[in-house]
Amino acid sequence: MRAIVVREFGGRPETADMPVPEAGPGELKIEIEAAGVNPFDQRIIDGFLDGKLPHDFPLIPGVDGAGRVVGIGADVTDVEIGERVVGKWLNPPLGHGTFAEYIVVPSTSIIARIPDEVTSIQAAALPTAGITALDLIHAAKVAAGQSVLIVGASGGVGSYLVQLAALAGAHVIATARPDDTDRMIRLGATEVVNYGRITVTDSPTHAEGAPLSIADSVRITVPAGVDVLFDLVSPPPLFADNASVVKSGGAAYTTVWSADEEALKARGITGGNFESSGGAPELRELLRDVGNGDLVVPIDNTPPLDAAPEVIGASGARGKTVLVI
């Protein structure tokens, strides 16, 4: 089968011919039709989990995938050949991922059936980014009438967060590049703060025409502060600055582990460094929302499998990149 592999930690991804895996007891063999690309894929390639989980080389990356069940191992009774499924698969030993024509996974892994109304490309863009966004919404208990600031709203997780927070009835403030403003509004943002483009003319603390920080920009329109901050991109100093606009009693979360949790706690703010733990129930909820038309899957790019070396680890996507296999 065709697959994308790396030969060593830090190696460059390349196309290779690999043996087709076969389902053993308790496993499913899936013919992959589409595979979602995530920043975490590059981290695995770089050895982020070296010493924490076993790895096999040549290593096939890829955590998210969608396709059809083409093989069923012994002891699996609740799946049929031909069913369309999607999953988030980070199963040890790592190195048998979704950037390939076939994958074998445990039937008990994070997996869900794809509704007829949802395409494989849409489904493959959901697991990692969508589950993370939904977990954040649940963790912060986002509710109607709250103000929610989303820093890094343009990417996969951010694009889902904007929609899910808006669906909950929140006043959503999204940060994005100027030419992505319209898309943020369509996804449900009430306000958009453009990176480095907001200037001030009447503030006593800024020179006329000087660029405002995200926090300063938010203070102009929401002087009382926001209830929730989701920061998907900022290093520690910028996260601390952004968290300064969160009300006491509010919540601030970072997915890149930039929080000083003791400093947040001292201000009466919950949250901090966040790691998603959602699974199949959350994936099924997202699929229902997409099938019902309540959630738009933000797909930016759909390159073929052979283009994976150019898109793994790339930055600047507006939504999700999905490899079509």
Side-chain angles (χ1 to χ4, degrees), residues 147 173 191 215-226 244-247:
S147 53
I173 307 165
E191 301 178 39
D216 288 333
S217 300
V218 171
R219 286 190 184 95
I220 292 175
T221 57
V222 191
V226 301
S244 70
V245 301
V246 179
K247 301 174 184 176

Side-chain angles (χ1 to χ4, degrees), residues 12-154:
R12 176 170 172 76
E14 60 184 78
T15 304
D17 288 326
M18 294 289 288
V20 176
E22 299 298 334
E27 294 180 330
L28 302 174
K29 177 181 176 181
I30 299 166
E31 184 177 15
I32 298 293
E33 297 174 346
V37 180
N38 298 287
F40 192 64
D41 301 321
Q42 185 62 53
R43 298 180 72 187
I44 291 175
I45 291 170
D46 291 340
F48 173 69
L49 295 177
D50 185 21
K52 300 175 184 176
L53 290 174
H55 294 66
D56 283 343
F57 287 91
L59 182 148
I60 302 173
V63 174
D64 295 350
R68 294 185 182 275
V69 176
V70 295
I72 300 175
D75 304 323
V76 179
T77 59
D78 58 347
V79 182
E80 297 181 358
I81 294 292
E83 283 192 316
R84 298 170 65 235
V85 296
V86 58
K88 177 183 176 183
W89 295 305
L90 190 66
N91 306 307
L94 304 188
H96 305 270
T98 58
F99 295 173
E101 292 180 310
Y102 296 93
I103 187 174
V104 166
V105 301
S107 63
T108 56
S109 57
I110 299 175
I111 189 170
R113 292 176 175 84
I114 303 173
D116 292 341
E117 300 82 8
V118 180
T119 69
S120 292
I121 291 175
Q122 290 174 309
L126 275 174
T128 295
I131 291 173
T132 298
L134 190 58
D135 281 351
L136 283 164
I137 293 291
H138 290 164
K141 299 181 174 61
V142 175
Q146 289 186 322
S147 53
V148 176
L149 171 61
I150 302 171
V151 178
S154 295

Side-chain angles (χ1 to χ4, degrees), residues 121 299-305 307 320-324:
I121 291 175
I299 296 174
D300 179 60
N301 191 19
T302 55
L305 178 64
K320 292 291 298 177
T321 295
V322 179
L323 296 172
V324 179

